[in-house]
C-alpha cells in the first residue's frame, strides 16, 4: 500500500511540474524562456523516472526517485523564497513535506 501511494504521489508531482514548466515555456516572456526550458527538461526526466518507478515495483528505485523529487521540491521552494514569492515557495515546500513523509513510509520496506 505504501509503495502504491508513494509511486502515485511521486508521479503526480512530476506530472504537475511538467505541466507547470510547459506552460512557462509556452507563455513566459522570452527572457525567462531559457530557465523554463531547463525546468521542462528536468521535469520531463523526473516524470519518466517516476513513471518507471510506478510500474517497476522496486522499492529501492521508488525511494531513489522520491528522494530526488524531495530534493527538487526543496530547492524550488528555496528559489521561491529567494524570489520573495510565498506562493512559489509554499507549493514546493508542501510537496517536499509530502515526499518526505512518503520516504519515511518506505523505510521499513527497504
Amino acid at each position: 500500500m505504501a509503495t502504491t501511494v508513494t509511486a502515485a504521489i511521486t508521479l503526480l508531482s512530476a506530472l504537475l511540474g511538467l505541466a507547470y514548466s510547459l506552460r512557462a515555456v509556452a507563455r513566459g516572456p522570452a527572457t525567462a524562456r531559457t530557465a523554463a526550458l531547463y525546468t521542462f527538461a528536468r521535469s520531463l526526466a523526473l516524470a519518466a523516472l517516476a513513471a518507471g518507478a510506478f510500474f517497476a515495483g522496486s522499492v529501492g528505485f521508488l525511494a531513489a526517485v522520491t528522494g530526488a523529487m524531495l530534493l527538487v521540491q526543496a530547492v524550488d521552494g528555496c528559489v521561491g523564497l529567494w524570489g520573495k514569492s510565498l506562493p512559489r515557495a509554499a507549493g514546493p515546500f508542501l510537496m517536499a513535506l509530502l515526499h518526505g513523509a512518503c520516504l519515511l513510509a518506505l523505510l521499513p520496506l527497504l
Side-chain angles (χ1 to χ4, degrees), residues 1 3-4 10-11 13-14 16 22 27 30 32 34-35 37 45 53 55 58 63 69 73 81 93 97-98 105 107 110:
M1 178 71 173
T3 55
T4 304
T10 302
L11 182 58
S13 176
L16 286 173
L22 187 59
R27 295 186 182 179
T34 301
L37 283 170
F55 294 109
S58 169
M69 289 298 299
Q73 295 293 347
L81 285 178
F93 279 141
L97 283 173
L98 190 57
L107 278 179
L110 290 173

Side-chain angles (χ1 to χ4, degrees), residues 1 9 11 49 57 61 71 86 94:
M1 178 71 173
I9 289 171
L11 182 58
L49 286 171
F61 182 52
L71 180 64
L86 187 59
L94 289 173

Side-chain angles (χ1 to χ4, degrees), residues 5-92:
V5 171
T6 299
I9 289 171
T10 302
L11 182 58
L12 179 64
S13 176
L15 291 174
L16 286 173
L18 187 62
Y20 177 78
S21 63
L22 187 59
R23 183 174 183 258
V25 168
R27 295 186 182 179
T31 55
R33 202 158 281 152
T34 301
L37 283 170
Y38 162 75
T39 305
F40 175 74
R42 179 192 73 187
S43 298
L44 185 61
L46 286 169
L49 286 171
F54 188 81
F55 294 109
S58 169
V59 177
F61 182 52
L62 177 60
V65 173
T66 302
M69 289 298 299
L70 173 90
L71 180 64
V72 165
Q73 295 293 347
V75 169
D76 284 350
C78 290
V79 169
L81 285 178
W82 182 60
K84 297 180 178 145
S85 173
L86 187 59
R88 287 187 182 214

